[in-house]
Amino acid sequence: MEKVKIGIIGTGYIGNVHARIYARDERTEVSALYDIAPEKAERTAKSVGGKICSSREELLEKCDAVLVCTPNKTHTEIASHAADEGKHVFCEKPFSIGLTNAKKLLEIAQNSKGVFQVGHNRRYAPVYAKLKELLSEDKAHSAHIKMNRGELLNPVWTGDTDITGGFLYETTIHLFDMMRFQFGEIAELVAYGSEHEYPELDEFSIILKFKNDFHCTFASSSDASWLFPFERIEVFCHHRMIMTQEMEHLIDSKGTDANFETFSWAMTEKEERWGYVQEDKAFIDAILNETEPPVTALDGFKSVELVESVYRAIKTSERIKFD
Ligand SMILES: NC(=O)c1ccc[n+]([C@@H]2O[C@H](COP(=O)([O-])OP(=O)(O)OC[C@H]3O[C@@H](n4cnc5c(N)ncnc54)[C@H](O)[C@@H]3O)[C@@H](O)[C@H]2O)c1
């Protein structure tokens, strides 16, 4: 069987995570690398191989599937270019910045002949797969969710809204996608936000109601320290609470006593614990089987829509309703 030729645009932190995974996958070959800082591509080529390209066009000629691993603001243009060229596209989160760009990319992705997958890796993380499995056997009533960061300093562009689109696009969007994955479609939300450490809204409190009557609170802070767990979901069911702690532990407590069962992935390799290995495999499965990937362009679009709705709710003090 011929190997799927992978081209990586942006060989920084996450580009290298995917490069290492595909270098080990017998169904793929890391064929081409392009980074505006050529020394970055050279470093990646030394560890996993691949031709260092001097332009995006050259990279597109040398691969079947493109991984868009550049900073947020470049995703729409680079992913559109690759999809227009008929390539399979894996676009890191966020799918896009702003509704206009997101609509444009959604249309291109949906009309492209290739697979288009968005990098919401947490859906594949064992802790969240386990949560979904447990919730398939019990009805979730409500939840309390948090997703924090310790700083917006590393990489340096994470504090630059011209590049990120805002803190919600950079970090919180992961669990925005997770809410839809676990609890379904959102009906309405109210949100409050404030500005403290950085010249942008950096603290958020959100209340959401879902179409199935589930409801939850969501808190997100960009300067909360890296105190573990910086990301947590507490779900409340009938005499039951299920709590995730980062991507390491899940605690399931049932009944009216203080009983609980703990599941741990603390000893699982990070690339698998965070779902990167599984999402990269799913992308190749979708290409080879000609099936829809688990996280589609529409999922990517909906996470952008949610980010924009929260910013709008804060700006206008209005309750936002979804169709
Ligand atoms: N899914 C996840 O868990 C996860 C984790 C980290 C980052 N990300 C996302 O991946 C993207 C990259 O993040 P990172 O942490 O790897 O950043 P990074 O700064 O480490 O790497 C980005 C690379 O892209 C290169 N680059 C910038 N503009 C380019 C362009 N126009 N063409 C080609 N190369 C270009 C830079 O030189 C750099 O090497 C971001 O959108 C980020 O949100 C996702």
Side-chain angles (χ1 to χ4, degrees), residues 271-287:
E271 287 173 359
E272 202 177 324
R273 189 169 75 239
W274 284 50
Y276 296 127
V277 171
Q278 301 90 320
E279 79 172 342
D280 286 351
K281 178 180 177 299
F283 182 49
I284 304 305
D285 289 345
I287 292 171

Side-chain angles (χ1 to χ4, degrees), residues 237-249:
C237 309
H238 179 70
H239 286 305
R240 184 176 193 181
M241 174 171 148
I242 309 170
M243 176 170 68
T244 63
Q245 293 188 322
E246 239 272 322
M247 278 167 279
E248 298 204 0
H249 306 294

Side-chain angles (χ1 to χ4, degrees), residues 135-298:
L135 291 179
S136 71
E137 68 197 33
D138 211 339
K139 185 172 161 47
H141 300 166
S142 66
H144 179 54
I145 303 172
K146 81 162 179 189
M147 180 150 209
N148 290 343
R149 267 185 77 104
E151 35 64 27
L152 292 180
L153 303 170
N154 184 26
V156 283
W157 52 263
T158 48
D160 183 345
T161 54
D162 284 343
I163 296 178
T164 62
F167 169 60
L168 293 181
Y169 275 108
E170 185 40 33
T171 300
T172 321
I173 197 166
H174 277 296
L175 286 202
F176 278 1
D177 175 68
M178 184 55 57
M179 278 196 295
R180 288 187 53 247
F181 179 57
Q182 299 287 352
F183 309 122
E185 296 301 334
I186 291 149
E188 57 183 66
L189 64 84
V190 289
Y192 303 90
S194 50
E195 197 176 310
H196 303 273
E197 291 306 311
Y198 301 100
E200 63 169 300
L201 289 171
D202 55 13
E203 306 254 346
F204 297 82
S205 299
I206 309 161
I207 304 178
L208 303 104
K209 184 170 177 292
F210 289 64
K211 290 190 173 155
N212 55 12
D213 287 337
F214 175 87
H215 50 91
C216 70
T217 56
F218 193 125
S220 193
S221 163
S222 66
D223 61 334
S225 88
W226 288 112
L227 180 68
F228 183 97
F230 43 85
E231 113 182 32
R232 181 174 64 202
I233 300 183
E234 296 173 2
V235 189
F236 313 112
C237 309
H238 179 70
H239 286 305
R240 184 176 193 181
M241 174 171 148
I242 309 170
M243 176 170 68
T244 63
Q245 293 188 322
E246 239 272 322
M247 278 167 279
E248 298 204 0
H249 306 294
L250 182 149
I251 301 169
D252 184 11
S253 173
K254 279 189 238 179
T256 50
D257 297 326
N259 298 314
F260 63 89
E261 193 178 356
T262 305
F263 301 85
S264 176
W265 294 269
M267 301 302 282
T268 306
E269 287 254 17
K270 182 177 175 187
E271 287 173 359
E272 202 177 324
R273 189 169 75 239
W274 284 50
Y276 296 127
V277 171
Q278 301 90 320
E279 79 172 342
D280 286 351
K281 178 180 177 299
F283 182 49
I284 304 305
D285 289 345
I287 292 171
L288 295 178
N289 302 330
E290 298 181 15
T291 50
E292 193 170 75
V295 189
T296 62
L298 184 60

Side-chain angles (χ1 to χ4, degrees), residues 9-16 18 34-38 40-41 56 68-75 77-78 90 92-94 119-122 155-158 169-171 174 274 276 279:
I9 304 181
T11 50
Y13 168 68
I14 203 71
N16 277 286
H18 296 300
Y34 173 63
D35 195 297
I36 46 166
K40 297 265 188 86
R56 224 195 288 161
V68 181
C69 299
T70 49
N72 305 1
K73 76 162 182 194
T74 62
H75 291 185
E77 203 243 318
I78 298 177
F90 174 92
E92 260 306 340
K93 50 60 59 173
H120 284 298
N121 56 297
R122 276 164 173 75
V156 283
W157 52 263
T158 48
Y169 275 108
E170 185 40 33
T171 300
H174 277 296
W274 284 50
Y276 296 127
E279 79 172 342

